[in-house]
């Protein structure tokens, strides 16, 4: 979906967040230090930033970020154990787009990341691991190589990849991709899934027996 930079000095939490965001389909760059994180900013679409870092506090980092024209609109989700209202206000006024207090659930963090990406509209491109789906131009690249898809294949891929891990039954996909007045059968979905697997590889779309299909990022 997107390339996320995570700057978090607590190793266990960094690993948990990194793994969770990758499971949600994002590419994740992770570091424990502000200095290393600054060098990675150019290639990221969203920043998840801890307040307390060993070499620079997150608020200072964030203010410096917002003074830099190249990063003034980069979406930032700030993480902190500081729960006081004044701290939250300081974080938001310093340039954070959202603010989460530790401890938090991974599901909520994933949802907030998705909401920020939607709000800031990352160029109409969904990044899922090595797969890039340019929704506006109807183009797909896998590991940098363009993949030729028919319009129906592309629309089906977009529908599945929008929410990695969500299971869609065949009737829902038929209605969403082909339209409610289409006279075909759910077998049409099976055929197009098979064609996508042939072009992308078998690891991207999972069959959930008795339920339908879901999009997965190969590990």
């Amino acid at each position: 979906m997107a390339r996320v930079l995570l700057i978090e000095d607590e190793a266990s939490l960094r690993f948990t967040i990194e793994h969770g965001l990758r499971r949600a389909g994002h590419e994740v760059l992770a570091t424990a230090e502000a200095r290393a994180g600054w060098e990675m900013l150019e290639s990221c679409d969203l920043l998840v930033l801890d307040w307390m870092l060993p070499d620079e506090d997150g608020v200072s980092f964030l203010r410096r970020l917002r003074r830099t024209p190249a990063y003034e609109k980069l979406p930032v989700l700030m993480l902190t154990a500081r729960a006081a209202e004044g701290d939250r206000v300081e974080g938001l006024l310093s340039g954070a787009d959202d603010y989460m207090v530790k401890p938090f659930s991974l599901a909520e963090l994933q949802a907030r990341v998705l909401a920020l990406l939607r709000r800031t509209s990352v160029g109409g491109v969904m990044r899922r691991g090595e797969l890039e789906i340019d929704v506006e131009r109807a183009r797909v690249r896998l590991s940098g190589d363009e993949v030729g898809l028919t319009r129906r294949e592309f629309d089906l891929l977009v529908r599945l990849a929008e929410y990695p891990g969500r299971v869609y039954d065949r009737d829902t996909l038929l209605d969403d991709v082909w339209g409610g007045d289409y006279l075909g059968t759910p077998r049409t979905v099976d055929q197009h899934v098979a064609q996508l697997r042939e072009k992308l590889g078998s690891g991207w779309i999972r069959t959930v027996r008795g339920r339908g299909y879901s999009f997965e990022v190969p590990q």
Side-chain angles (χ1 to χ4, degrees):
M1 177 174 294
R3 186 175 291 110
V4 178
L5 172 59
L6 169 63
I7 308 178
E8 164 62 59
D9 68 328
E10 185 181 336
S12 60
L13 181 57
R14 186 172 65 251
F15 175 81
T16 298
I17 295 173
E18 185 177 358
H19 180 72
L21 290 175
R22 282 187 172 145
R23 286 286 295 171
H26 303 291
E27 181 181 346
V28 183
L29 307 172
T31 181
E33 298 182 345
R35 180 178 299 176
W38 189 268
E39 299 301 318
M40 301 178 188
L41 282 169
E42 186 176 353
S43 61
C44 78
D45 300 313
L46 181 144
L47 171 62
V48 179
L49 175 67
D50 186 27
W51 186 312
M52 302 299 293
L53 296 171
D55 54 340
E56 181 180 7
D57 72 79
V59 166
S60 171
F61 184 96
L62 188 52
R63 287 172 176 159
R64 184 156 57 100
L65 185 85
R66 294 311 188 207
R67 291 195 300 268
T68 305
Y71 306 130
E72 61 185 359
K73 294 183 179 179
L74 180 72
V76 177
L77 171 60
M78 177 163 274
L79 308 178
T80 181
R82 304 171 71 154
E85 180 182 11
D87 292 326
R88 293 198 302 271
V89 169
E90 182 179 5
L92 293 169
L93 290 179
S94 297
D97 297 282
D98 201 354
Y99 188 104
M100 291 189 71
V101 176
K102 302 174 184 178
F104 50 81
S105 75
L106 187 57
E108 182 181 359
L109 183 138
Q110 290 170 333
R112 290 190 184 221
V113 164
L114 183 59
L116 275 178
L117 289 170
R118 283 176 174 165
R119 193 186 312 164
T120 53
S121 182
V122 184
V125 177
M126 292 195 292
R127 294 186 177 90
R128 304 288 187 270
E130 294 298 313
L131 190 67
E132 291 189 2
I133 306 170
D134 189 330
V135 179
E136 294 180 358
R137 297 177 176 82
R139 299 177 67 179
V140 174
R141 292 183 182 275
L142 179 59
S143 300
D145 296 325
E146 189 160 351
V147 180
L149 301 181
T150 68
R151 185 67 207 190
R152 293 296 193 195
E153 290 167 353
F154 179 82
D155 290 345
L156 177 60
L157 177 62
V158 169
R159 190 70 182 95
L160 288 167
E162 186 177 10
Y163 296 103
R166 178 180 291 184
V167 179
Y168 294 90
D169 62 57
R170 291 167 176 82
D171 288 332
T172 296
L173 292 171
L174 198 65
D175 286 345
D176 290 350
V177 177
W178 281 264
D181 57 351
Y182 181 69
L183 299 178
T185 70
R187 178 63 179 160
T188 300
V189 176
D190 298 337
Q191 293 170 346
H192 281 73
V193 167
Q195 290 162 199
L196 281 173
R197 284 172 171 162
E198 183 176 347
K199 294 179 179 181
L200 299 177
S202 59
W204 295 94
I205 301 175
R206 180 169 65 99
T207 300
V208 182
R209 184 172 297 179
R211 296 179 61 195
Y213 297 105
S214 70
F215 183 91
E216 305 285 342
V217 177
Q219 298 300 310

